[in-house]
Structure formats: structure tokens, C-alpha cells
Amino acid sequence: MNNEKLTMEINKKQITKIHWLKNTLNLSDEEYGAALESYGVATSKDLTYEQAADLIKKLVRLLPKELRENSSQRRKDAKQKYDELGIRWNEKLREHFATPKQLRMLEAMWMISNRVEHKNEEAFKKFVKRISGKEKLEWLMMSDVRKIKKAIESL
């Protein structure tokens, strides 16, 4: 019988959280690399689930007090952001508007991208307008989501 402890792989939420923390804490590539190296890996994708949870816990401790105290409320708010828009259909264009989940995904991609200099909602909205021509996020169509996602990925 094998007594080796089974380890779970890191999940996408953990990777996203680690990168958000890295960016929020303004960690340099050297600092981030040293943190990963302490776990014997070069990239967050190589961490185990347990290692990722430990790294997240350590990085959260480095956040300013107000960010740590409000993090659970912000997570709750983030999950509900754009929910008031619901699922909508544009009869004239015969296409669905972007869903709340898609809008959150685009915003998260913007905020965790290493190539984005200004990680704030105003800069995100300006970028979306430049790519889609739409003044407001709630006016985005599903076809716009694909264009914006591709634009963020190619920054």
C-alpha cells in the first residue's frame, strides 16, 4: 500500500487570486519569483493546491489593513457586480447583450494583466470604448466581448 499523500492541483481561482495579490502589492518580478522559488516552482501553475493556499495566506497578510478587513465584503460585491443587468436581448440587432459574468470576466482580465499600467475601472472603461465604440459597459454585445477579450490578451 502506498502511503504517499495525494496532492490536489492548483485551481484557476487560486491562480487569479495570486496574480491579483501580486499586482495589488506591486511585487516586482524578482520578489514574485523568490516567493514562488520558496515552494520550489518557477510559475504559479506548478504550485499544488495546498502550496497556493499557503502563498495566498502569506500575501494577504502583506495587504494594507483596510484591504484585509474589507476583502470578504469586496469578494461578495465583486460576485454581484453587474448582476442588475441580467440576461438581455437586443431585438434590433438580434443578439444578446454581454452577460454580467462576461463583464466581470473582462474586468478581471484587465485588472490582473501584467501589461496593463492603470488597473482601475476608469482606464478599463476607456479601453472598452476604444475597442468596441460603446460608451457604457451595459451596451456591450456578446460579439464585443470576444473582441475585448482578444484585445486584452494581445496587449
Side-chain angles (χ1 to χ4, degrees):
M1 185 167 157
N2 190 350
N3 289 332
E4 274 185 41
K5 182 179 176 185
L6 293 175
T7 58
M8 293 175 46
E9 290 183 10
I10 189 171
N11 62 42
K12 288 182 182 182
K13 283 185 180 183
Q14 287 178 307
I15 293 170
T16 300
K17 178 82 173 199
I18 289 168
H19 286 261
W20 179 84
L21 286 163
K22 174 190 180 273
N23 292 327
T24 301
L25 293 166
N26 291 321
L27 296 179
S28 69
D29 289 340
E30 292 79 22
E31 292 167 323
Y32 180 62
L36 292 175
E37 200 173 282
S38 71
Y39 294 95
V41 299
T43 174
S44 62
K45 292 177 184 172
D46 293 334
L47 292 168
T48 66
Y49 180 90
E50 294 81 11
Q51 289 172 327
D54 186 60
L55 178 59
I56 289 168
K57 189 168 35 170
K58 288 177 180 175
L59 292 175
V60 165
R61 283 190 210 129
L62 298 174
L63 288 172
K65 186 177 180 182
E66 63 275 5
L67 286 179
R68 275 183 308 201
E69 289 174 351
N70 296 326
S71 66
S72 63
Q73 181 60 43
R74 274 198 331 281
R75 276 196 308 274
K76 182 180 176 190
D77 292 345
K79 289 179 186 172
Q80 297 171 359
K81 192 170 188 178
Y82 307 118
D83 277 354
E84 74 280 359
L85 298 175
I87 305 298
R88 302 163 297 137
W89 174 257
N90 184 317
E91 190 60 46
K92 185 177 179 185
L93 297 176
R94 310 229 8 104
E95 183 181 2
H96 278 98
F97 285 95
T99 66
K101 186 175 180 179
Q102 288 172 321
L103 295 174
R104 289 190 296 266
M105 180 260 312
L106 290 174
E107 190 170 343
M109 286 179 68
W110 177 263
M111 297 299 180
I112 67 169
S113 173
N114 291 332
R115 298 190 179 240
V116 171
E117 186 176 336
H118 302 288
K119 296 177 187 302
N120 59 57
E121 202 167 329
E122 183 181 339
F124 172 63
K125 287 178 180 179
K126 284 181 182 178
F127 178 80
V128 167
K129 182 181 178 193
R130 187 167 55 88
I131 301 302
S132 69
K134 307 279 172 58
E135 290 283 336
K136 297 188 175 200
L137 293 176
E138 57 263 28
W139 296 348
L140 291 177
M141 305 304 293
M142 285 195 171
S143 56
D144 296 320
V145 171
R146 289 185 282 279
K147 286 191 287 189
I148 295 163
K149 182 176 185 240
K150 198 173 200 176
I152 293 171
E153 290 171 341
S154 65
L155 286 174

